[in-house]
Amino acid sequence: YLMNGLVFCGLPLSFEKDGRLRRHIQMLFFPYVLFILTIFVGLRLSSPDYDNYSAWFDLVASGNLFAQGFANDPAFVLVSYIVSALGLSFIVVTVFFAAAALASQFCFSKIASDQRWVTFLFYLVFCRTFIGSDMASIRSAVAIPLMSSGILLAIRGKRKIALLMYIVALAFHVSVLIGLLPFILAMLNVRFHSRWWILSFAPATVLARILLGEILLLLSHAARASTYAVALMMAGTDPPMAYVAYIAVRILFLALITLLLWNRIALESRLVLFCYAIGIMIQIVFISNNAVSWRGSDIFGLFDLVAFMIPLKHLKGSFCLLYAAGLVVFELASFQFGMKDLEPYRWILS
């Protein structure tokens, strides 16, 4: 909660009218906040996956896993190998991944918003990712913002740096392959003129849901995907009503923006909505397994936040303030929801 309060302090900067003053304060705010967050995350001794990563590091350090591990997860294995070769401990790996995750999330916030809204978007990103990614899934915490930034840079014509970021993201976590479609479309400079880029997801989702069984049967024979495919085929529980309601609200928001604002939003915002729609499609197609549905759609989670900020550019005065407050409350609720699965925090120096 203290970390949340620290990042929350940057929110008023988005409503400061003096752009020069806002920029100078941001230059002081972000280095301080990123340093504190890196120390807090990197020097922890507890997280849902901490013991697994520590054991993995020990295997790499002993020389028993380098070749096979590098082929599967090159970034983690390479960092672990270098750290162990220098005679340093696993905590250096956690600090590195914490710094890389937070830096990539900050870069995404700068790329995805104008200078006024950087601190606002970074707070939303923090609420969405800090518990579930930064404190747990340290590899995807780096990969997802890198992939997301690469997609936005690709649509801006910066294809070389976009391709580099996407390749690096893949090195950190192979799950970002799910983002290959929007990345290719952005690299090909597709303009997304028609609303059908969004509306076509409705029949596509129905078709994918119908064909899901056959697809999973094929995936069950693939080494890396077999575990998830078998788990999905065995899943048969109904999703919680709160989760269904959340998906319904997301669909309603997408429909309103697509129908009312499509002709008034820029190309980049249309691409954001396209990625947002993919996230909804994943949630619905895999809804029989809540964990896979949520984690799969979460790969496009940063685009959700950028999509939610689209109305801010079209609302004025008190309506803008009320909508911004609503976003903050919503993401605070998301942060609180993630806290229930978090282990008690233990610091390395305690």
Side-chain angles (χ1 to χ4, degrees), residues 28-338:
L28 297 174
F29 174 78
F30 277 114
Y32 171 76
V33 168
L34 292 173
F35 176 76
I36 296 297
L37 292 177
T38 298
I39 295 300
F40 183 85
V41 175
L43 296 185
R44 73 197 184 286
L45 279 176
S46 59
S47 81
D49 293 327
Y50 185 92
D51 292 337
N52 292 335
Y53 284 124
S54 179
W56 196 359
F57 171 81
D58 291 338
L59 285 173
V60 174
S62 65
N64 295 327
L65 192 67
F66 183 80
Q68 179 184 356
F70 186 82
N72 293 333
D73 294 281
F76 183 86
V77 171
L78 181 60
V79 171
S80 297
Y81 178 79
I82 294 173
V83 169
S84 62
L86 293 174
L88 303 174
S89 68
F90 173 64
I91 203 67
V92 178
V93 176
T94 63
V95 170
F96 171 84
F97 273 84
L102 290 163
S104 59
Q105 290 161 13
F106 167 66
C107 289
F108 173 80
S109 300
K110 288 197 67 175
I111 292 170
S113 64
D114 56 36
Q115 190 262 339
R116 173 186 176 183
W117 295 106
V118 173
T119 50
F120 189 88
L121 179 56
F122 184 75
Y123 178 75
L124 300 184
V125 170
F126 169 86
C127 288
R128 179 66 67 92
T129 65
F130 189 71
I131 301 299
S133 295
D134 299 353
M135 296 288 288
S137 304
I138 61 175
R139 294 175 296 136
S140 61
V142 182
I144 291 173
L146 285 176
M147 176 208 73
S148 304
S149 298
I151 291 173
L152 293 181
L153 290 174
I155 202 65
R156 296 178 185 179
K158 300 179 180 180
R159 293 180 178 84
K160 291 182 180 179
I161 183 66
L163 181 60
L164 176 62
M165 294 184 81
Y166 192 76
I167 292 173
V168 173
L170 280 171
F172 277 95
H173 206 281
V174 72
S175 65
V176 296
L177 272 175
I178 296 176
L180 187 59
L181 175 60
F183 180 75
I184 291 175
L185 293 176
M187 292 288 281
L188 294 175
N189 199 30
V190 173
R191 309 310 290 175
F192 299 95
H193 290 299
S194 173
R195 288 183 175 90
W196 282 104
W197 282 101
I198 305 300
L199 300 177
S200 61
F201 276 101
T205 301
V206 173
L207 181 62
R209 182 66 187 166
I210 294 172
L211 297 177
L212 178 62
E214 296 297 327
I215 295 172
L216 293 178
L217 186 60
L218 291 174
L219 288 176
S220 65
H221 299 292
R224 299 277 329 251
S226 60
T227 302
Y228 304 102
V230 171
L232 277 169
M233 287 188 287
M234 294 176 62
T237 58
D238 294 328
M241 286 305 299
Y243 188 56
V244 175
Y246 171 66
I247 296 175
V249 171
R250 281 166 54 80
I251 294 173
L252 177 61
F253 175 84
L254 178 63
L256 290 174
I257 297 297
T258 302
L259 296 175
L260 300 178
L261 295 178
W262 185 263
N263 292 327
R264 298 169 57 188
I265 59 178
L267 166 64
E268 193 168 301
S269 294
R270 294 177 182 181
L271 173 62
V272 166
L273 289 178
F274 182 78
C275 295
Y276 176 90
I278 296 176
I280 294 176
M281 180 178 177
I282 293 172
Q283 284 183 306
I284 296 173
V285 171
F286 298 103
I287 198 167
S288 58
N289 188 305
N290 295 332
V292 175
S293 174
W294 180 264
R295 293 193 67 176
S297 67
D298 204 44
I299 294 171
F300 295 97
L302 296 184
F303 289 107
D304 293 359
L305 304 177
V306 182
F308 292 155
M309 290 185 63
I310 290 175
L312 288 174
K313 300 178 181 179
H314 302 276
L315 296 173
K316 305 296 181 182
S318 59
F319 291 104
C320 181
L321 288 173
L322 285 173
Y323 182 78
L327 284 182
V328 170
V329 171
F330 179 77
E331 291 305 325
L332 269 173
S334 175
F335 181 85
Q336 177 62 37
F337 180 78

